[in-house]
Amino acid sequence: MARKVLALAEIRDGSLRNVSFETIAAAKTIAQGGEVVSVLVGESVQSYANELLFHGADRVVVVEHTNLKHYTSDGYSQALMAVVDAEKPEGIVFGHTALGKDLSPKLAIKLNSGLVSDVVSVEEAGGNLIFTRPIYSGKAFEKKIVTDGMIFVTVRPNNIQPLERDESRSGEVKAISVDIKDLRTIVKEVVRKTAEGIDLSEAKVIVAGGRGVKSAEGFKPLQELAEVLGGAVGASRGACDAGYCDYSLQIGQTGKVVTPDLYIACGISGAIQHLAGMSNSKVIVAINKDPEANIFKVADYGIVGDLFEVVPLLTEEFKKLKVHS
Amino acid sequence: MNIFVLMKRTFDTEEKITIVDGKVNEEGAEFIINPYDEYAIEEAIQVRDKHGGEVTVVTVGNEDAEKELRTALAMGCDKAVLINVEDDIEAHDQYTTAKIIAEYLKDKEPDLILAGNVAIDGGSGQVGPRVAELLGIPYVTTITKLDIDGDKVTVVRDVEGDEVVIETSLPLLVTAQQGLNEPRYPSLPGIMKAKKKPLEELELDDLDLEEEDVEAKTKTIEVFLPPKREAGKILEGDIADQVKELVRLLRSEAKVV
Ligand SMILES: Cc1cc2nc3c(=O)[nH]c(=O)nc-3n(C[C@H](O)[C@H](O)[C@H](O)COP(=O)(O)OP(=O)(O)OC[C@H]3O[C@@H](n4cnc5c(N)ncnc54)[C@H](O)[C@@H]3O)c2cc1C
Ligand SMILES: Cc1cc2nc3c(=O)[nH]c(=O)nc-3n(C[C@H](O)[C@H](O)[C@H](O)COP(=O)(O)OP(=O)(O)OC[C@H]3O[C@@H](n4cnc5c(N)ncnc54)[C@H](O)[C@@H]3O)c2cc1C
């Protein structure tokens, strides 16, 4: 059954987040030959439309308004509902990002629909769309189907392969005008605490530190390694509780669940709550001075040693590689 | 102030997950209050202590959840409500839960509702915002700070590590992020008092809801465990050689850099 499916794009630091392209890819599978319409929402965002077409959107709908400068659930849901009214889609895909998580349940209520959150894969089998998602923070998975109404899902960043970028693709870009008003939550200030660039949930490489890092200062060598690899820094709860870093870096059952290509755990013992958040990474490296540490049980490669010796050497080695290639 | 906390009972984070007959095995498992809901409870108690009023903790589940409700009462909540749906509902999803909670709350005139930002088992993060929207009140998710001054509310929201300062007003629903506060442990006198605090049990009938009104929109067809990770290679030799070997393996064997 061919369906029309909306895919919400997201912008961060002046560029489209990768998850925007992943929503297009997921929407393609859901559409089953139907049309995929990317949606751009913001103050001034039309210029991003072509990039969405290059990544496989058939068309782009743009909603611009000064009241959409900052994300608010009221503002964005008014924009999205206007798009839904105009397009009458049978499916909607958001990223499972801070924005997507906050907005999707509100829209699901407005549409009187179900919502499958945090989807890591979409497949079609025997006429059914099957959505796989982690439960128990990645300790298990479930497969879900939609039994009634709109097919509405959020997809976890970094799990669904985007389409190859192709500049020869084109399509209609249409702006619709909506009066965005009566916002009940007002953004007063955005305090930037994270580094420019890579978000933990989208990073291909994560260098994570635990209590073994011993101080805020101790995270420096980890940051340097992450930088060389174009990755992001994460942490165990042990490190966060000790005040070495911000809770927003915490990975695990009560933190972020991440699935990078490469996860380098430094001075992390490998508690079950930590493993829940990272053991579905593609390749895991553990650096720990205790050969009995639990983390080695899930690591593909392990180095038993002092992280303050190993990590800088590793950074040097990768730097050399970069120079050579 | 009329304060409500939405609480979910969940597996202890220490638990390993096993599957029996296609379902997550609950036999012998330890249960706890969903960790994010502990922050919600703590914040509710602090708001009440500062501004006056009453805290009611609400859960949708079965009678096993009485234990966690008593814990919430022991922490300092005033009243507990168990909406027991075990006999009435077979298929259940976030749509179901939110509808039931909103139906219960609709004539209670809540000033403030607190929930966890996500349940560590189901993991969707849907229930809080869904309930707010059903009640027609604003919400802010993943908050790390809450200040109430009359009807005016200032919250700090964690957005993937950045802080967004938001102004809004009561009535309001917020969902708790780690860092909001340090949840207290129930004290011994608290535990004694909790035994005498009211714990009301309701069923769908009491809420004017029929099973059809809350019928799930999604269905779980399979539950499975991820492939077990095998312990890999522990490198040997002097550290400098191990590092070189690691880089080589990551490049040519694992092909991730
Ligand atoms: C409800 C609940 C939820 C939780 N949620 C999470 C969660 O989401 N994420 C999480 O991570 N934890 C979580 N935890 C905590 C978890 O149980 C562990 O306490 C925590 O993960 C330990 O952090 P750690 O590995 O950094 O510290 P430790 O267990 O203290 O390990 C430190 C490690 O560093 C090694 N080390 C020390 N010095 C060096 C050195 N110089 N070089 C190399 N190695 C060194 C040590 O050998 C040790 O293995 C949760 C706990 C509870 C109760
Ligand atoms: C009797 C019963 C049968 C169920 N059967 C199924 C089933 O067949 N298939 C299936 O997929 N799921 C089933 N569930 C699970 C249930 O539908 C979801 O777990 C629930 O809707 C919450 O979703 P979540 O875990 O994603 O919570 P989230 O939306 O992540 O929770 C966020 C916050 O909402 C609040 N909250 C969540 N759940 C509750 C609750 N129950 N009571 C009060 N507050 C809550 C808490 O504050 C929590 O921190 C069943 C649950 C019950 C009670």
Side-chain angles (χ1 to χ4, degrees), chain A residues 116-133:
Chain A
V116 186
S117 300
D118 202 14
V119 166
V120 296
S121 90
V122 187
E123 59 199 318
E124 204 267 349
N128 264 331
L129 284 167
I130 298 171
F131 302 100
T132 303
R133 63 184 299 274

Side-chain angles (χ1 to χ4, degrees), chain A residues 133 142 144, chain B residues 6-8 34 36-37 58-62 85-86 89-95 97 101 114-119 121-128 220:
Chain A
R133 63 184 299 274
E142 65 175 353
K144 292 202 92 169
Chain B
L6 314 183
M7 185 211 76
K8 189 179 188 191
N34 181 43
Y36 292 102
D37 303 356
V58 185
T59 198
V60 178
N62 60 27
V85 295
E86 199 173 27
I89 302 178
E90 264 172 50
H92 199 111
D93 70 359
Q94 289 81 6
Y95 174 87
T97 306
I101 294 173
L114 298 108
N117 92 68
V118 68
D121 48 5
S124 76
Q126 292 183 23
V127 171
T220 302

Side-chain angles (χ1 to χ4, degrees), chain A residues 98 102 106 115 117 133 136 139 141 143 147 186 188-189 191 194 250 254 279 281 299-302, chain B residues 13 36 121-122 126 133 139 141 160 162-163 165 167-168 178 217 219 221-222 224 229 232-233 235 253:
Chain A
D102 191 79
K106 182 180 174 91
L115 172 62
S117 300
R133 63 184 299 274
Y136 299 88
K139 288 179 184 171
F141 286 83
K143 291 191 174 184
T147 48
I186 306 293
K188 285 284 160 191
E189 195 187 349
V191 186
T194 49
Q250 183 180 316
T254 51
S279 47
S281 303
D300 299 280
Y301 307 109
Chain B
T13 58
Y36 292 102
D121 48 5
Q126 292 183 23
E133 180 64 18
Y139 62 87
T141 56
E160 289 163 3
D162 294 329
E163 285 181 351
V165 183
E167 247 176 47
T168 181
Q178 188 166 37
K217 305 265 183 195
K219 186 173 160 199
I221 55 168
E222 191 186 333
F224 63 98
R229 275 198 107 93
K233 257 183 220 149
L235 304 178
E253 189 177 272

Side-chain angles (χ1 to χ4, degrees), chain A residues 211 214 236-237 250-251 254 267 269 273-274 288 306-307:
Chain A
R211 224 189 304 262
K214 293 195 178 67
S236 71
R237 171 143 160 198
Q250 183 180 316
I251 289 163
T254 51
S269 61
Q273 297 95 343
H274 189 77
N288 196 304
D306 181 353
L307 72 93

